[in-house]
Amino acid sequence: MVRRNTVVGNIDWVTVVIYIILVFLGWVNIYSAVYNEDSQGIFDISQRYGKQLVWIGAALVLAFFIIIIESRFYVFFGYLIYGIMLLLLISVLIFGTEVNGARSWFIIGGFGFQPGEFTKFATALALAKYISQYNFKMYRLKSLAIIGFIIFFPALLIFLQHDTGSALVYTVFILVLYREGLTGVVLFFILLVVVLFILALVISNTAILVFMLVISFLSFYIIHQKFKDLWKVVGVFGLIVAIVWGIGVFFNLQFTNVSVLLIGSVISALVFLGLSIRKRLHKISLLIVIFFGSLLFTISVGHVFENVLQEHQQARIKELLGIESDPLGAGYNVNQSKIAIGSGGFLGKGFLNGTQTKFNFVPEQSTDFIFCTVGEEWGFLGAFTVITLFIFLFIRLIWLAERQRSVFSRVYGYSVATILFFHFMVNIGMTIGLMPVIGIPLPFFSYGGSSLWSFTILLFIFLRLDANRLDRIL
Amino acid sequence: MENLVRRQYIISGIILLTAMVFVAKLFRLQVLSSAYVQYATNNVLRKVVQYPARGLIYSRNGKLLVYNKAAYDLLVTPRELGSFDTLSLCNMLNISVDYLASEIKAAKKYSYYKPSIIVTQISSEDYAYFQEQLYKYPGFYVQPRTLREYPRSIAAHILGYISEASQELINKDNYYNPGDYTGATGIEKKYERYLRGEKGVKYFLVDVHSRQKGSYENGKRDVPAIVGENIITTIDMGLQEYAESLMQNKKGSIVAIEPSTGEILAMVSAPYYDPNMLVGRSRGVNYARLSTDSLKPLFNRALMAEYPPGSTFKIANSLIGLQEGAINNYTSFSCSGPASYPIRCTHDHVSPLSIQSAIRESCNPFFWNNFRLIIGNYSTTAEGYNTWRNHVLSFGFGHKLGTDLLSEMDGNVPLESFYNNIYGRRHWNAMTIRSMAIGQGELLVTPLHLANFAAVVANRGYYIVPHVVRSVQGYNSEKETLGFAKKTSSVKPEYFEVVINGMQDVVEKTSLRYTTRVQGIEVCGKTGTVQNPHGSDHSVFIAFAPKDNPKIALSVYVENGGWGSRYAAPIASLVIEKYINGSIANSRKWLEKKMLDANLLDTIQPE
């Protein structure tokens, strides 16, 4: 009894309260989204809000059991849980049922179960266990390979289920690795890739080439700090471009302006690379390599976009970037979602008074687009409150993670915070037109037993670990 | 390690930055932009036009002539179409599979989201059955609308019919939208503005499938439809029905007017049609059938058929002669029977005759002499002719009377210039145009003109412009009685008496007394026979009754009826008896039966 009391006393009740508030708000909005005048009983199991009430009750029971289990259990069985989940993922690929194009469900007796949802906490446990082992060093090929496997193997399996959204969640572990020592250059490269990807799709080839050249020259000046050399470099580059142009005219090769610039750039880059290596200016060499990489990446974006991405994914990205607009087709969801949220105004239309969500203008309104109901019925004030609650939860989780004495708990804590954050970012970003349409749920809000339970397990294992943070055993 | 702890701020920073971007975007969407509120309203608000019930039409006695019945249009929203049993739907609605397929294709072309009408005017009988099956046909909806219904299948030509508004009308009058109905002929057209009422608007909330989800703001912005105003006609329903029955299997017309008011009691154009034929889904087929019928049932003979008035016109010439002083009550002209010149007399009678007897005997030589003297009273033929012509016009002939009936014809009383053109100025005289004396020749009148002329005589010198609508009564408004002008003839009242005595003699002292005299009613009338180059002559009769304080004046035309006393006079007498006595005396039932049974449609014998 004494021991259990200490656990209860050590639980971070602030997080628990935020969790309960979010789950409650989620249920209220599901009720409103599905509400119709024919069946109003909140316990009506035939309606989604009635079912969600059952899921919530079960989630609270689940949370209780997670809390009373010894925290060492999670550490000890980390790999085993991960292994079981991988087996489930493989078997769902073979025996699962296809729902909305994704073969990611087991349907048993009318109830659906999505193993992919539960792989997240298992991956987090496995990653925490691996990183927390004695003598772990990030920069070893073996370490990187194993970490890569732990994170991306489940992601690959989920991707094979055609559940691209859930697979993308695993990229967020990079933030956890960053906290544990992975170089910040990785974040820089991710940013670079995203920017180049968008630019490649949005602006013309000439513009992006000029943009990259200007950035490179500026970077050269920032690294090298010699104005005279900058002029020399620009001069040489200009000369090479002019020669290329001259050859083109002389031999009547019919170069376009872009190809003159491109050939000129490549030749100049090769010349400068040779010079920088001879003069041992390593940073300049790196800059030129990055320039080359970016050039290659940009050229390949178009190819990747058209051949790797599926048609509906292409359409969603084009819609997001404003390249194409089809409010009745690919853009329908987001357009209606923005209308619903936008029409909420500052104070919202009031509980149960949302017309856009209630009359089914917004698809998937109780699951992926639940935030529309918040925006429409509770207005800017309500949406702001929900975002604030989430942010408070994330910061609280990071703060909790930082206070852990054990690496395991810290890595797991960061995993929880960043996984929740990724869902939050993509889901809300999608409803307000800042992210492409990627169907992943809003934690604690979206309708669905699997997602609510998986987020509950994810969160409460960390709270259980946190309750034992003073234990040296971990 | 110390360095890595600081990375929590970078991660927290990323989270906070994301949150700030979201809040900024939400602020823009929700607070700064008002466009989304408008989009949302457009999404959910549907304006549904509420059609008012069209005004009803009553007889003069307050009996319903036209009312509304419910019918239903079938609509389809292509987006919501599921699989359904095409064949049983087609059978239920009595349409072909091809028709359904092409209509659905057209609906898809119009819009996937908005409903299109594919079958119109399903009867309530069909609908009652169909309604129970409707759940099997996702995407199909039914909307109610009203159709005209005629409890007694009479007065089709007077009432007119309604049809879909033409594009021309829609462009002209923004009240109408494509698919709206409007009066096409008759009272329905003339009184459209009263009958149609005011459309209302109802706002509904709809869901993404355009299904209605309740009223908007509890209906505060709704505008109710205002029911059309009711029309009270001057038609006597019983008389109209009786008159139509008398004209069955005949061509021709009956126009009966209440002389003191100009109210048209009955107006028949035979052959007529059942007004219910031009209602509902079979309208198109029926209309095509009626419009190609060789007997022209859609043609309103009472208003549009122009015939010479025949001997009935002798009444007009008598009055003009008296007014002009060409003759007086005692002026006599001799008659040599068939040997008379220039116009032979068709009747055997004593000679010479004064005006009263001349009317009784319809003596052609008398009226030629009378006509010759009227014109001869003036120094030139032209002056005499124009004086005569002005008198004729004052009886209502030769121009539209200005009734509330549409498509009235002018008739024809030739201008002086007409004869100048034919014969040359001063190269013609009364002798040249002597057929005008006996109502033949270029003279053309409509049955309405003649009935109106009977009313002029009955009134001793004036008429009220004939009309079919007495008053208009709105749903909540006062009864509005419509006024029609009184026109006075140029013949003074004192000249009418002797002529009327002559007309009484026609009924009581000629062979007509066996058929046309009505016990207890002093009927005054005049027969006519209109020469018909295409077949048997037309039988014409004008009459009014009773002689003093007349209640009814009428004209009867029976095409190919042979001569005036054969059909037109007996029919007129039956109409008079029916109107004044309410029923036909037993002693005259044989006559009624004979008239009802007469079939003149097959007896056109070219001469």
Side-chain angles (χ1 to χ4, degrees):
Chain A
M1 285 306 284
V2 176
R3 187 167 176 79
R4 183 172 292 179
N5 269 337
T6 50
V7 169
V8 170
N10 285 332
I11 287 284
D12 184 52
W13 287 101
V14 174
T15 307
V16 175
V17 168
I18 297 173
Y19 164 80
I20 289 174
I21 291 174
L22 287 173
V23 167
F24 171 74
L25 289 180
W27 181 81
V28 165
N29 283 294
I30 290 169
Y31 180 81
S32 185
V34 205
Y35 174 84
N36 65 52
E37 286 172 9
D38 299 335
S39 66
Q40 300 175 335
I42 58 167
F43 296 110
D44 189 341
I45 296 297
S46 70
Q47 299 293 323
R48 286 194 157 183
Y49 45 81
K51 284 184 189 157
Q52 184 74 359
L53 218 50
V54 174
W55 308 144
I56 290 171
L60 292 177
V61 173
L62 204 59
F64 175 75
F65 279 109
I66 289 166
I67 294 295
I68 61 170
I69 291 172
E70 273 293 319
S71 58
R72 267 170 295 183
F73 171 87
Y74 305 111
V75 183
F76 192 77
F77 289 112
Y79 288 151
L80 184 67
I81 295 171
Y82 178 74
I84 292 171
M85 282 305 157
L86 285 187
L87 280 177
L88 277 175
L89 277 184
I90 292 167
S91 51
V92 85
L93 259 181
I94 302 163
F95 307 112
T97 312
E98 205 169 292
V99 175
N100 292 337
R103 187 182 284 278
S104 59
W105 291 79
F106 282 124
I107 307 262
I108 304 154
F111 287 97
F113 168 73
Q114 222 180 342
E117 285 294 329
F118 297 91
T119 327
K120 282 173 244 176
F121 89 88
T123 307
L125 282 177
L127 185 68
K129 182 154 179 157
Y130 183 73
I131 291 178
S132 65
Q133 71 189 334
Y134 186 69
N135 251 348
F136 168 80
K137 288 233 164 47
M138 179 75 77
Y139 289 106
R140 270 196 304 212
L141 198 60
K142 189 183 161 203
S143 304
L144 285 173
I146 288 173
I147 289 172
F149 174 84
I150 289 174
I151 295 173
F152 292 111
F153 188 59
L156 177 71
L157 289 175
I158 292 170
F159 182 78
L160 289 177
Q161 295 168 4
H162 298 293
D163 189 358
T164 318
S166 297
L168 283 174
V169 174
Y170 292 81
T171 56
V172 84
F173 281 108
I174 288 171
L175 276 182
V176 180
L177 299 178
Y178 170 69
R179 169 61 186 85
E180 295 305 319
L182 190 70
T183 171
V185 175
V186 174
L187 296 187
F188 167 77
F189 275 116
I190 290 172
L191 190 68
L192 185 69
V193 162
V194 171
V195 168
L196 286 177
F197 183 81
I198 293 172
L199 288 180
L201 291 179
V202 176
I203 66 177
S204 73
N205 288 339
T206 318
I208 196 166
L209 191 55
V210 170
F211 173 77
M212 276 162 42
L213 287 167
V214 169
I215 293 286
S216 303
F217 289 132
L218 274 178
S219 309
F220 174 79
Y221 177 69
I222 291 164
I223 296 164
H224 196 60
Q225 298 282 348
K226 281 178 188 161
F227 211 63
K228 242 169 96 181
D229 287 353
L230 179 66
W231 285 120
K232 277 184 194 164
V233 168
V234 174
V236 171
F237 170 73
L239 192 67
I240 292 173
V241 170
I243 291 167
V244 171
W245 180 77
I247 292 170
V249 172
F250 187 78
F251 291 102
N252 198 18
L253 296 174
Q254 312 223 328
F255 285 150
T256 61
N257 290 342
V258 193
S259 33
V260 170
L261 206 58
L262 188 64
I263 295 166
S265 304
V266 172
I267 294 171
S268 323
L270 288 171
V271 169
F272 293 135
L273 187 63
L275 280 171
S276 65
I277 289 170
R278 260 178 63 186
K279 296 197 172 179
R280 294 172 194 280
L281 294 166
H282 298 306
K283 283 182 179 171
I284 304 298
S285 309
L286 186 66
L287 177 69
I288 293 163
V289 169
I290 291 172
F291 176 79
F292 258 121
S294 303
L295 212 56
L296 272 175
F297 177 77
T298 311
I299 291 166
S300 58
V301 160
H303 175 80
V304 169
F305 187 78
E306 267 160 38
N307 295 305
V308 176
L309 290 182
Q310 290 172 21
E311 213 167 285
H312 70 275
Q313 291 167 333
Q314 293 177 23
R316 286 170 180 179
I317 290 168
K318 282 179 179 170
E319 194 74 38
L320 176 73
L321 298 178
I323 299 167
E324 276 175 18
S325 178
D326 180 11
L328 292 177
Y332 179 78
N333 293 9
V334 173
N335 189 41
Q336 292 297 340
S337 166
K338 279 159 84 176
I339 289 174
I341 293 172
S343 68
F346 188 74
L347 291 173
K349 296 176 184 171
F351 181 50
L352 300 181
N353 288 335
T355 53
Q356 306 301 299
T357 49
K358 193 152 296 98
F359 297 153
N360 297 320
F361 286 97
V362 183
E364 305 290 342
Q365 47 184 305
S366 61
T367 53
D368 293 346
F369 282 89
I370 189 69
F371 192 71
C372 291
T373 311
V374 179
E376 190 185 11
E377 298 196 343
W378 306 99
F380 176 73
L381 220 54
F384 181 77
T385 307
V386 168
I387 288 176
T388 308
L389 275 170
F390 270 112
I391 298 306
F392 188 71
L393 175 70
F394 303 149
I395 301 296
R396 178 87 190 171
L397 287 172
I398 289 171
W399 181 76
L400 289 180
E402 285 296 336
R403 77 176 181 181
Q404 303 303 313
R405 291 189 177 180
S406 83
V407 175
F408 181 92
S409 299
R410 188 178 67 222
V411 171
Y412 187 79
Y414 263 99
S415 300
V416 175
T418 52
I419 288 171
L420 292 178
F421 167 68
F422 187 84
H423 277 266
F424 162 88
M425 175 179 77
V426 171
N427 183 286
I428 294 184
M430 163 182 85
T431 61
I432 57 180
L434 290 177
M435 286 274 165
V437 177
I438 295 171
I440 58 173
L442 185 60
F444 315 122
F445 262 73
S446 291
Y447 167 80
S450 289
S451 76
L452 178 64
W453 292 353
S454 84
F455 290 126
T456 303
I457 294 169
L458 187 72
L459 181 65
F460 277 84
I461 289 177
F462 178 56
L463 291 182
R464 182 66 188 85
L465 295 171
D466 175 61
N468 271 77
R469 66 186 178 278
L470 299 174
D471 264 350
R472 277 276 172 194
I473 302 161
L474 288 172
Chain B
M1 281 303 275
E2 296 311 309
N3 196 26
L4 290 183
V5 172
R6 280 169 57 195
R7 289 190 171 182
Q8 65 172 298
Y9 302 115
I10 300 215
I11 294 170
S12 301
I14 291 171
I15 292 172
L16 282 173
L17 187 71
T18 308
M20 284 188 312
V21 170
F22 283 6
V23 168
K25 175 79 178 184
L26 280 167
F27 191 76
R28 224 187 82 190
L29 281 179
Q30 297 188 290
V31 183
L32 295 184
S33 162
S34 58
Y36 291 99
V37 178
Q38 191 56 47
Y39 292 145
T41 311
N42 292 348
N43 254 349
V44 294
L45 219 53
R46 286 289 177 285
K47 204 171 119 176
V48 178
V49 174
Q50 301 292 298
Y51 286 94
R54 202 169 167 83
L56 308 180
I57 303 179
Y58 291 93
S59 77
R60 66 189 289 115
N61 323 91
K63 289 181 184 148
L64 261 182
L65 289 170
V66 186
Y67 67 96
N68 297 312
K69 69 169 176 184
Y72 301 86
D73 287 351
L74 183 70
L75 297 94
V76 68
T77 308
R79 197 179 117 93
E80 296 164 28
L81 273 179
S83 59
F84 61 93
D85 184 348
T86 321
L87 206 59
S88 67
L89 181 71
C90 290
N91 287 339
M92 243 187 306
L93 299 173
N94 198 17
I95 53 176
S96 74
V97 178
D98 289 343
Y99 174 83
L100 182 70
S102 72
E103 286 296 308
I104 288 176
K105 201 174 158 194
K108 283 178 178 169
K109 204 174 165 194
Y110 167 65
S111 167
Y112 263 79
Y113 292 85
K114 291 181 192 163
S116 309
I117 296 178
I118 59 167
V119 182
T120 56
Q121 303 176 354
I122 300 164
S123 68
S124 24
E125 294 81 22
D126 287 348
Y127 174 66
Y129 178 66
F130 180 57
Q131 187 188 21
E132 290 172 12
Q133 310 288 318
L134 196 59
Y135 73 94
K136 292 183 191 164
Y137 304 99
F140 288 96
Y141 302 95
V142 167
Q143 86 178 10
R145 68 185 315 161
T146 55
L147 288 183
R148 288 310 227 185
E149 173 89 351
Y150 306 86
R152 315 297 284 267
S153 302
I154 57 168
H157 290 110
I158 304 170
L159 300 170
Y161 54 84
I162 53 176
S163 65
E164 277 190 23
S166 64
Q167 193 56 47
E168 195 188 351
L169 180 66
I170 292 164
N171 295 342
K172 212 169 67 185
D173 185 342
N174 60 13
Y175 177 88
Y176 299 101
N177 291 321
D180 284 2
Y181 284 115
T182 182
T185 60
I187 288 175
E188 298 277 19
K189 183 174 186 184
K190 179 74 183 178
Y191 292 94
E192 167 72 8
R193 280 184 181 282
Y194 298 96
L195 287 166
R196 71 186 182 187
E198 295 281 336
K199 282 189 223 170
V201 171
K202 212 164 186 166
Y203 293 94
F204 286 106
L205 293 175
V206 295
D207 71 1
V208 67
H209 305 301
S210 293
R211 286 186 295 234
Q212 293 183 0
K213 288 287 180 180
S215 64
Y216 176 64
E217 290 181 357
N218 287 324
K220 261 183 260 167
R221 301 212 317 197
D222 294 358
V223 179
I226 298 172
V227 177
E229 293 175 54
N230 295 338
I231 297 282
I232 292 119
T233 66
T234 63
I235 299 298
D236 184 301
M237 192 159 95
L239 189 69
Q240 175 74 26
E241 195 167 20
Y242 185 66
E244 286 191 10
S245 69
L246 289 172
M247 289 303 286
Q248 68 193 8
N249 298 321
K250 301 168 190 71
K251 284 196 286 180
S253 64
I254 299 175
V255 180
I257 296 173
E258 183 177 72
S260 58
T261 57
E263 292 179 353
I264 294 176
L265 301 168
M267 188 171 79
V268 181
S269 170
Y272 41 84
Y273 61 92
D274 180 350
N276 287 309
M277 287 175 80
L278 293 186
V279 170
R281 287 169 63 195
S282 43
R283 176 173 180 268
V285 178
N286 287 338
Y287 186 85
R289 254 177 53 198
L290 290 173
S291 60
T292 54
D293 190 323
S294 62
L295 296 175
K296 298 187 180 166
L298 291 174
F299 179 64
N300 189 351
R301 290 175 160 78
L303 298 178
M304 302 176 75
E306 295 173 303
Y307 312 89
S311 298
T312 58
F313 198 72
K314 288 171 182 167
I315 303 297
N317 275 336
S318 306
L319 292 166
I320 297 167
L322 291 167
Q323 173 70 37
E324 285 294 312
I327 55 168
N328 59 37
N329 291 356
Y330 310 104
T331 310
S332 301
F333 298 103
S334 60
C335 161
S336 335
S340 305
Y341 181 81
I343 303 177
R344 64 201 177 106
C345 184
T346 50
H347 307 112
D348 277 335
H349 54 77
V350 292
S351 180
L353 289 174
S354 69
I355 182 155
Q356 190 172 336
S357 316
I359 290 172
R360 186 189 70 220
E361 300 299 341
S362 198
C363 178
N364 286 345
F366 179 93
F367 289 100
W368 180 71
N369 282 310
N370 171 42
F371 185 66
R372 184 174 53 84
L373 290 176
I374 295 168
I375 308 253
N377 246 354
Y378 292 86
S379 51
T380 64
T381 304
E383 197 181 347
Y385 180 79
N386 283 330
T387 307
W388 174 84
R389 185 171 183 274
N390 286 336
H391 284 300
V392 173
L393 295 184
S394 82
F395 294 137
F397 293 117
H399 56 85
K400 292 186 181 70
L401 289 168
T403 68
D404 56 353
L405 296 155
L406 298 158
S407 53
E408 246 189 280
M409 297 301 277
D410 283 322
N412 187 28
V413 183
L415 288 164
E416 175 209 341
S417 57
F418 175 79
Y419 294 110
N420 289 340
N421 281 343
I422 295 178
Y423 305 110
R425 192 181 289 269
R426 294 195 190 128
H427 286 85
W428 56 282
N429 56 29
M431 169 79 182
T432 326
I433 56 166
R434 60 188 178 276
S435 51
M436 305 295 265
I438 56 168
Q440 306 285 358
E442 293 84 9
L443 212 51
L444 288 176
V445 302
T446 65
L448 179 68
H449 280 134
L450 266 194
N452 184 58
F453 176 62
V456 172
V457 179
N459 286 336
R460 277 82 170 166
Y462 72 89
Y463 67 93
I464 313 282
V465 171
H467 51 278
V468 286
V469 171
R470 178 187 276 176
S471 60
V472 174
Q473 190 162 27
Y475 186 61
N476 275 330
S477 60
E478 293 280 305
K479 202 185 231 181
E480 182 191 344
T481 306
L482 307 170
F484 289 89
K486 178 181 173 179
K487 302 277 177 75
T488 309
S489 76
S490 52
V491 175
K492 294 284 176 295
E494 59 262 32
Y495 298 112
F496 281 81
E497 226 40 59
V498 65
V499 174
I500 288 169
N501 288 337
M503 291 172 74
Q504 190 180 7
D505 290 347
V506 167
V507 176
E508 295 185 355
K509 294 187 178 165
T510 69
S511 63
L512 279 186
R513 65 183 178 274
Y514 306 115
T515 57
T516 309
R517 223 173 117 193
V518 182
Q519 206 64 48
I521 305 171
E522 290 180 304
V523 178
C524 306
K526 179 72 191 84
T527 55
T529 303
V530 177
Q531 291 163 6
N532 174 20
H534 309 293
S536 307
D537 289 346
H538 303 323
S539 174
V540 192
F541 194 67
I542 63 169
F544 65 90
K547 182 183 177 191
D548 297 314
N549 198 12
K551 294 271 179 288
I552 181 169
L554 77 170
S555 74
V556 178
Y557 264 88
V558 180
E559 289 187 22
N560 313 117
W563 56 92
S565 57
R566 195 175 176 201
Y567 288 107
I571 286 174
S573 76
L574 289 168
V575 171
I576 290 168
E577 186 176 10
K578 176 79 178 176
Y579 182 65
I580 293 176
N581 288 350
S583 62
I584 306 301
N586 279 334
S587 60
R588 281 164 53 80
K589 286 286 185 193
W590 66 272
L591 181 75
E592 185 185 35
K593 184 175 185 314
K594 188 180 167 193
M595 290 303 129
L596 289 171
D597 290 348
N599 184 340
L600 301 183
L601 295 183
D602 306 326
T603 55
I604 305 159
Q605 303 131 359
E607 281 177 81

